[in-house]
Amino acid sequence: MKQNTNVILIGFMGSGKTSVGEQLASQLLFTFKDTDHLIEEQVGNTIKHVFETKGEAYFRDLETDLLKRLLHEYKETILSSGGGVPVREENRKLLRELGTVIYLRASKETLLQRLRGDQTRPLLQGASLEAKINQLLQDREVIYQETSHIQIDTDYKSINEIVSEICQSLEV
Ligand code: S3P
């Protein structure tokens, strides 16, 4: 892995970006950051509240603005990105400019298990969680694949196993 580089984790909600990212950062002695947390800090409220009061488009603009700022600020950082970040073409380019992009892939079944009962993610509220996950995954799978430099299957793996696989792929 190049010196001073960043590692960006992308993937569906519930794919483990935050837990994996935190552990990877402590192992590599990198800083850990999370786009959702950075946005919540910036607006002083939750993502759920932003969606409810300002709408999704406003939130997506905050994500793009954030990536643009980070581009000049970050080095040796593990960035966990919200599941919708790569959906905008402009963001895909920014993510790849920021560093090595890793897609944490999880199956529908795993995601359904992990996301059942979640009340924090606006896109998953209301009836039929399964249908929502199916639809969003169908729309996004190719995008995650194409945005990433490295893909890691996470089903049935512990966080430790996923982190070691990432380290092997990054050759660190
Ligand atoms: C979203 C994913 C969430 C958060 C927001 C929208 C998405 O982040 O940014 O609820 O569109 O997939 P996580 O992937 O960290 O849950």
Side-chain angles (χ1 to χ4, degrees):
M1 187 168 56
K2 275 186 284 173
Q3 243 190 336
N4 285 342
T5 197
N6 302 302
V7 175
I8 298 95
L9 301 178
I10 65 168
F12 205 79
M13 297 169 264
S15 60
K17 292 165 296 194
T18 304
S19 336
V20 168
E22 281 174 346
Q23 180 139 336
L24 183 63
S26 76
Q27 200 153 313
L28 298 180
L29 303 177
F30 275 31
T31 309
F32 176 76
K33 297 282 183 185
D34 177 309
T35 58
D36 285 342
H37 289 163
L38 291 168
I39 289 174
E40 286 181 339
E41 256 173 38
Q42 183 192 330
V43 301
N45 220 317
T46 61
I47 303 291
K48 190 168 173 237
H49 186 263
V50 174
F51 267 71
E52 280 165 7
T53 55
K54 305 271 175 102
E56 181 172 354
Y58 179 84
F59 172 71
R60 299 302 176 194
D61 287 341
L62 291 180
E63 286 183 322
T64 303
D65 290 346
L66 178 67
L67 292 184
K68 285 183 184 158
R69 276 206 309 278
L70 300 187
L71 203 52
H72 305 290
E73 285 176 16
Y74 280 7
K75 59 174 190 185
E76 299 200 339
T77 297
I78 309 290
L79 180 70
S80 164
S81 62
V85 170
V87 173
R88 268 195 190 177
E89 192 181 346
E90 183 182 10
N91 294 353
R92 299 204 275 277
K93 194 163 163 276
L94 290 165
L95 289 170
R96 290 176 65 96
E97 277 173 35
L98 254 172
T100 304
V101 182
I102 301 185
Y103 170 29
L104 298 185
R105 188 190 302 109
S107 67
K108 274 186 241 178
E109 294 70 25
T110 301
L111 293 171
L112 186 59
Q113 222 172 30
R114 293 201 192 140
L115 294 166
R116 204 170 265 141
D118 178 90
Q119 295 186 340
T120 62
R121 293 173 171 100
L123 297 183
L124 302 179
Q125 304 312 303
S128 190
L129 176 63
E130 190 169 359
K132 290 197 170 85
I133 293 176
N134 279 341
Q135 183 61 56
L136 280 171
L137 253 186
Q138 195 179 315
D139 297 343
R140 293 179 176 181
E141 174 72 32
V142 177
I143 290 174
Y144 291 142
Q145 294 273 5
E146 289 182 358
T147 310
S148 52
H149 299 99
I150 295 169
Q151 298 88 34
I152 305 277
D153 273 312
T154 65
D155 282 343
Y156 310 112
K157 288 179 191 158
S158 67
I159 293 177
N160 273 335
E161 286 171 318
I162 298 166
V163 169
S164 332
E165 258 188 62
I166 293 177
C167 290
Q168 272 174 18
S169 304
L170 291 170
E171 297 175 359
V172 286

